[in-house]
Amino acid sequence: MFYDLFIPAERGAEKTLSMLARLGYSCAAASCTVTGKIPQDVGLLAKGIDVDVAPDVRATLAATGKSFTVLKRITVELSDTKECYHLNGNTPGMKEFDIVAVNPTTEKLWAQCCVQSRTAKKCYSHPVHCDRCTHAICKLRCC
């Protein structure tokens, strides 16, 4: 199985998703990025991610018994500790996304995200190398 979990949900995404389906990928995530404060109506961003493979590719997949899943992903560029509150499902629109990826911009935010990861499943991008971190998720994502 092949997956691509970061396809920018913009013009041309359908073409990229169709190519991945033809190459044998079974899943891809159409992604949007939020920088700064997470909007209260973040769920509208999920509704805006309305991309799929081309209809002819979908028909070919169905005829061959293969499937291709398109997930919705949001990447949050996190720069304020107050915004962490919105990542634990406290913002209703966040539940519209299949994947919530967080890119903390400081080591302090990274540590806070690691602590919170014990109660919520998230994907993190690590901004700095940390030899002292003991969290399992950090060990997976460290440089």
Side-chain angles (χ1 to χ4, degrees):
M1 286 189 192
F2 295 106
Y3 295 84
D4 190 332
L5 299 178
F6 186 78
I7 303 296
E10 54 193 32
R11 192 176 353 174
E14 181 180 294
K15 200 180 278 190
T16 302
L17 292 171
S18 296
M19 180 189 63
L20 292 174
R22 284 189 195 107
L23 290 173
Y25 282 65
S26 55
C27 182
S31 180
C32 66
T33 301
V34 173
T35 303
K37 187 171 171 40
I38 300 170
Q40 286 297 322
D41 58 350
V42 71
L44 293 176
L45 291 173
K47 291 180 183 8
I49 301 177
D50 189 23
V51 294
D52 199 2
V53 297
D56 62 318
V57 175
R58 185 62 73 188
T60 303
L61 289 170
T64 59
K66 296 180 180 177
S67 66
F68 184 78
T69 305
V70 179
L71 302 174
K72 294 180 181 182
R73 168 186 163 145
I74 185 169
T75 302
V76 180
E77 300 278 335
L78 197 61
S79 59
D80 184 3
T81 56
K82 295 174 190 164
E83 292 301 306
C84 290
Y85 172 78
H86 298 292
L87 299 174
N88 283 334
N90 297 316
T91 303
M94 291 301 250
K95 294 177 182 172
E96 300 291 325
F97 293 96
D98 300 302
I99 301 171
V100 176
V102 181
N103 187 9
T105 56
T106 66
E107 192 171 346
K108 180 180 177 183
L109 280 168
W110 170 251
Q112 185 173 352
C113 289
C114 288
V115 169
Q116 286 185 352
S117 72
R118 294 179 183 168
T119 58
K121 293 181 179 177
K122 298 182 191 73
C123 172
Y124 297 101
S125 298
H126 198 313
V128 291
H129 180 70
C130 65
D131 291 324
R132 65 188 176 286
C133 193
T134 59
H135 300 290
I137 195 167
C138 295
K139 293 297 182 193
L140 293 174
R141 298 288 180 190
C142 279
C143 308

